């Protein structure tokens, strides 16, 4: 009878000892942390989805307002007749055909001044940066060197000379650009078929005197665009002066400004660009073919440029060796003040670290205070910490990242703190763990602000946290909690 009664008690005691083991609890917590990577991954997908939605809305805004604009120096085009034999058998008059080719000349000087007014344009909860610009382009063309071109003077049609001016998107034009050519007021017309040097072309017939030393031009235009304004410097010497009411422009491209200044609400910058690095010669002959390609996604620029270069080399129609691209332009990017999705993504990357450190703090509290926290309660606390990132994402779309981070972190700390107080019945433990979790969120926020130094600061911070945990662990008798259950 006695033996039969003792067996269930011994089996029950062994089960309790195993289930209440600190080592087993540590393994369960580690496994739970790995499981929580699944919802963290889903939250990262949600952030990416919302980011893509923002980009779609921004693309819709730019489609209606005007895309990223590319403004180039004008090019002078002069037609000439070229006689081509139809076959190589006999060069007879009946076996010859005349084709119209073009002499393309780049300006000797090109001076561009622009006053830019960026602004936010909203659609629903999403915003995109757009701008107005008042621009003046003026400069001169040198006398044509026919000796270098090796073209008979009688084959050149001087009366058919045209000035070609290129833009990226005609939708951004507020009104027809005006042209002053050697004192004469002329008008540009769009050209969609013949002289396609740029993405969208404006063409104007100009009176050209071959005996004149140089010709002067002046173009004025009002231009709208989105996100960035790009200049394609084609002159032998190009000078650009830009100013606007925007606090944080980004200057990228082939050259950085020689002078710049930024204030709390405005900027100014200037460039002085010689033609040494230009891929185009000062003048060339041939058919009218595109001279540049523009891609808003810079990652694809190099690949596409290699493809276009191969095509140009194969055709060998002109002396233009390769297409110009984004890296040959001067770019002014008008960045939004805060990129909420980028910052939320960076915060979410630290999610598993915060969860592991919080669970470790809870386990230390269990051992020190001798208060058991059930694994279900660990799951609920982990769910609250995962929900923090969804709350941050949702609030940041409406009230901005900084205020959303403060609100979400306070709400999460208060929720977990009150829950721990209900479990342990100890206000000091609840305050201590709430303070630790609050410090974790403050630590992550500081890392977000450091940017260039976030890696070194994060590594040092985690090293200090680990050192503190190691120090605390030496003050704990890890077997006392297991023995107390074994004695019960």
């Amino acid at each position: 009878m006695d033996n039969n009664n003792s067996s269930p008690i011994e089996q029950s005691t062994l089960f309790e000892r195993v289930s209440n083991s600190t080592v087993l609890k540590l393994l369960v917590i580690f496994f739970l942390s790995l499981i929580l990577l699944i919802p963290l991954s889903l939250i990262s997908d949600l952030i990416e989805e919302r980011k893509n939605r923002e980009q779609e809305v921004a693309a819709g805004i730019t489609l209606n307002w005007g895309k990223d604009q590319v403004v180039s120096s004008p090019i002078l085009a002069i037609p000439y007749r070229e006689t081509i034999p139809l076959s190589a058998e006999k060069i007879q008059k009946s076996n010859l055909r005349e084709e119209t080719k073009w002499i393309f000349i780049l300006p000797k000087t090109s001076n561009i001044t622009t006053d830019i007014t960026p602004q936010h344009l909203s659609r629903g909860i999403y915003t995109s940066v757009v701008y107005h610009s008042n621009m003046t382009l003026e400069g001169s063309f040198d006398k044509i060197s026919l000796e270098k071109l090796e073209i008979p003077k009688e084959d050149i049609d001087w009366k058919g000379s045209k000035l070609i001016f290129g833009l990226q998107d005609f939708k951004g034009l507020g009104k027809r650009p005006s042209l002053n050519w050697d004192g004469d007021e002329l008008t540009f017309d769009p050209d969609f078929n013949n002289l396609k040097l740029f993405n969208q072309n404006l063409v104007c017939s100009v009176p050209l005197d071959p005996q004149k030393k140089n010709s002067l031009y002046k173009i004025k235009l009002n231009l709208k665009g989105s996100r960035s304004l790009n200049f394609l410097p084609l002159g032998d010497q190009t000078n650009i002066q830009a100013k606007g009411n925007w606090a944080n422009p980004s200057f990228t491209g082939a050259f950085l400004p020689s002078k710049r200044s930024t204030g709390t609400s405005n900027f100014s910058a200037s460039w002085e660009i010689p033609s040494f690095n230009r891929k185009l010669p000062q003048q060339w002959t041939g058919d009218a073919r595109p001279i540049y390609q523009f891609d808003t996604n810079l990652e694809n620029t190099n690949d596409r440029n290699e493809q276009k270069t191969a095509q140009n080399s194969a055709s060998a129609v002109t002396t233009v060796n390769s297409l110009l691209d984004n890296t040959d332009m001067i770019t002014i990017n008008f960045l939004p003040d805060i990129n909420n999705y980028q910052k939320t993504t960076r915060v979410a990357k630290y999610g598993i670290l915060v969860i592991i450190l919080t669970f470790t703090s809870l386990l230390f509290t269990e051992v020190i205070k001798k208060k058991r926290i059930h694994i279900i309660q660990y799951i609920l606390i982990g769910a609250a910490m995962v929900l923090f990132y969804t709350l941050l994402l949702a609030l940041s779309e409406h009230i901005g990242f900084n205020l959303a981070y403060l609100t979400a972190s306070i709400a999460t700390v208060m929720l977990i703190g009150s829950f721990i107080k209900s479990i342990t019945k100890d206000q000091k433990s609840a305050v201590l763990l709430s303070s630790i979790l609050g410090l974790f969120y403050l630590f992550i926020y500081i890392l977000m602000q450091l940017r260039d130094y976030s890696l070194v600061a994060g590594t040092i911070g985690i090293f200090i946290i680990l050192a503190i945990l190691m120090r605390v662990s030496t003050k704990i008798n890890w077997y006392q909690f297991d023995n107390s259950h074994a004695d019960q």
Side-chain angles (χ1 to χ4, degrees), residues 303-363:
D303 294 338
R304 295 186 182 181
N305 190 46
E306 290 177 0
Q307 296 174 3
K308 294 293 184 179
T309 302
Q311 293 175 4
N312 285 348
S313 299
S315 60
V317 177
T318 70
T319 59
V320 183
N321 295 321
S322 63
L323 288 178
L324 307 176
D325 58 23
N326 299 58
T327 59
D328 298 295
M329 301 178 186
I330 304 300
T331 300
I332 306 176
N333 286 302
F334 302 102
L335 304 175
D337 298 331
I338 296 177
N339 191 326
N340 293 327
Y341 298 108
Q342 183 179 3
K343 288 191 173 184
T344 305
T345 300
R346 292 179 62 192
V347 171
K349 291 180 179 179
Y350 295 98
I352 189 62
L353 175 64
V354 175
I355 290 173
I356 291 176
L357 293 176
T358 303
F359 283 171
T360 304
S361 302
L362 285 172
L363 182 61

Side-chain angles (χ1 to χ4, degrees), residues 242-267:
K243 63 178 182 178
N245 59 340
W246 196 253
N248 58 336
S250 172
F251 304 110
T252 59
F255 300 91
L256 294 178
S258 55
K259 297 179 181 179
R260 75 171 81 180
S261 65
T262 55
T264 56
S265 60
N266 57 71
F267 77 93

Side-chain angles (χ1 to χ4, degrees), residues 17-277:
R17 289 179 62 184
V18 174
S19 61
N20 292 322
S21 170
T22 304
V23 176
L24 180 62
K25 174 63 74 69
L26 186 61
L27 293 175
V28 172
I29 291 173
F30 177 73
F31 180 73
L32 176 60
S33 300
L34 295 179
I35 293 298
L36 289 175
L37 285 173
I38 298 175
L40 285 176
S41 176
L42 295 176
I43 289 174
S44 297
D45 293 340
L46 178 62
I47 296 172
E48 189 66 25
E49 178 184 337
R50 300 296 292 179
K51 180 181 178 181
N52 292 336
R53 174 58 182 163
E54 180 194 42
Q55 292 175 347
E56 290 176 2
V57 174
I61 293 174
T62 60
L63 185 64
N64 296 329
W65 179 271
K67 300 178 182 178
D68 302 63
Q69 292 287 5
V70 177
V71 178
S72 74
S73 304
I75 296 178
L76 185 61
I78 306 170
Y80 71 94
R81 297 183 302 274
E82 184 176 72
T83 303
I84 301 175
L86 296 178
S87 64
E89 296 177 358
K90 292 183 179 180
I91 302 179
Q92 299 178 352
K93 189 173 183 180
S94 59
N95 198 29
L96 298 177
R97 183 185 65 185
E98 286 189 352
E99 287 188 357
T100 299
K101 300 290 184 178
W102 295 88
I103 304 170
F104 297 106
I105 304 171
L106 299 182
K108 179 178 177 60
T109 60
S110 178
N111 302 312
I112 304 173
T113 58
T114 179
D115 190 354
I116 312 166
T117 308
Q119 65 185 77
H120 288 97
L121 198 62
S122 301
R123 181 175 294 177
I125 64 173
Y126 303 105
T127 61
S128 181
V129 179
V130 299
Y131 59 83
H132 288 273
S133 65
N134 294 317
M135 198 173 304
T136 301
L137 300 91
E138 56 185 338
S140 63
F141 287 91
D142 235 351
K143 184 178 180 180
I144 303 171
S145 177
L146 296 178
E147 295 79 9
K148 294 181 181 179
L149 296 175
E150 298 181 356
I151 299 175
K153 294 182 179 181
E154 59 272 14
D155 291 341
I156 299 177
D157 181 13
W158 298 102
K159 295 182 179 180
S161 301
K162 300 179 184 297
L163 188 70
I164 310 170
F165 176 59
L167 294 175
Q168 185 66 17
D169 187 7
F170 279 168
K171 192 171 291 184
L173 285 175
K175 59 181 181 180
R176 187 185 295 269
S178 64
L179 169 63
N180 184 294
W181 179 266
D182 283 337
D184 296 330
E185 296 295 332
L186 305 174
T187 303
F188 279 110
D189 292 311
D191 187 302
F192 299 103
N193 299 315
N194 299 321
L195 297 170
K196 298 183 65 175
L197 296 180
F198 308 102
N199 186 60
Q200 293 187 337
N201 301 266
L202 292 169
V203 177
C204 180
S205 298
V206 293
L208 191 63
D209 185 356
Q211 303 302 323
K212 193 173 183 181
K213 187 174 181 180
N214 58 17
S215 300
L216 304 179
Y217 71 88
K218 186 174 183 179
I219 302 171
K220 289 187 176 182
L221 73 155
N222 297 321
L223 188 64
K224 297 188 299 182
S226 303
R227 294 180 302 224
S228 71
L229 178 58
N230 305 269
F231 299 98
L232 185 63
L234 298 179
D236 189 52
Q237 176 66 41
T238 302
N239 302 312
I240 302 174
Q241 292 183 341
K243 63 178 182 178
N245 59 340
W246 196 253
N248 58 336
S250 172
F251 304 110
T252 59
F255 300 91
L256 294 178
S258 55
K259 297 179 181 179
R260 75 171 81 180
S261 65
T262 55
T264 56
S265 60
N266 57 71
F267 77 93
S268 64
S270 61
W271 292 259
E272 296 178 355
I273 308 166
S275 61
F276 301 131
N277 294 321

Side-chain angles (χ1 to χ4, degrees), residues 4 55 370 408 421 470 486:
N4 292 336
Q55 292 175 347
K370 299 181 181 180
K421 181 181 179 182
M470 293 173 68

Side-chain angles (χ1 to χ4, degrees), residues 288-444:
R289 294 180 177 271
I291 64 170
Y292 83 89
Q293 60 180 356
F294 178 73
D295 194 345
T296 55
N297 184 1
L298 291 178
E299 295 178 357
N300 297 332
T301 301
N302 292 334
D303 294 338
R304 295 186 182 181
N305 190 46
E306 290 177 0
Q307 296 174 3
K308 294 293 184 179
T309 302
Q311 293 175 4
N312 285 348
S313 299
S315 60
V317 177
T318 70
T319 59
V320 183
N321 295 321
S322 63
L323 288 178
L324 307 176
D325 58 23
N326 299 58
T327 59
D328 298 295
M329 301 178 186
I330 304 300
T331 300
I332 306 176
N333 286 302
F334 302 102
L335 304 175
D337 298 331
I338 296 177
N339 191 326
N340 293 327
Y341 298 108
Q342 183 179 3
K343 288 191 173 184
T344 305
T345 300
R346 292 179 62 192
V347 171
K349 291 180 179 179
Y350 295 98
I352 189 62
L353 175 64
V354 175
I355 290 173
I356 291 176
L357 293 176
T358 303
F359 283 171
T360 304
S361 302
L362 285 172
L363 182 61
F364 277 31
T365 302
E366 283 192 58
V367 177
I368 295 173
K369 298 294 184 179
K370 299 181 181 180
K371 298 287 187 180
R372 276 293 180 182
I373 300 177
H374 197 273
I375 193 64
I376 297 298
Q377 293 163 333
Y378 272 92
I379 294 175
L380 293 174
I381 292 173
M385 287 188 290
V386 170
L387 187 61
F388 162 80
Y389 301 100
T390 306
L391 186 62
L392 172 62
L393 174 63
L395 292 176
S396 65
E397 292 183 335
H398 297 274
I399 62 176
F401 178 83
N402 292 335
L403 186 57
Y405 191 94
L406 178 64
T407 304
S409 58
I410 291 176
T412 304
V413 169
M414 291 181 63
L415 175 62
I416 294 177
S418 61
F419 185 56
I420 292 174
K421 181 181 179 182
S422 300
I423 296 171
T424 62
K425 309 299 182 183
D426 185 1
Q427 185 172 356
K428 290 184 178 180
S429 298
V431 172
L432 177 61
L433 286 170
S434 298
S435 300
I436 292 174
L437 183 58
L439 286 175
F440 289 159
Y441 285 134
L442 178 61
F443 174 62
I444 300 302

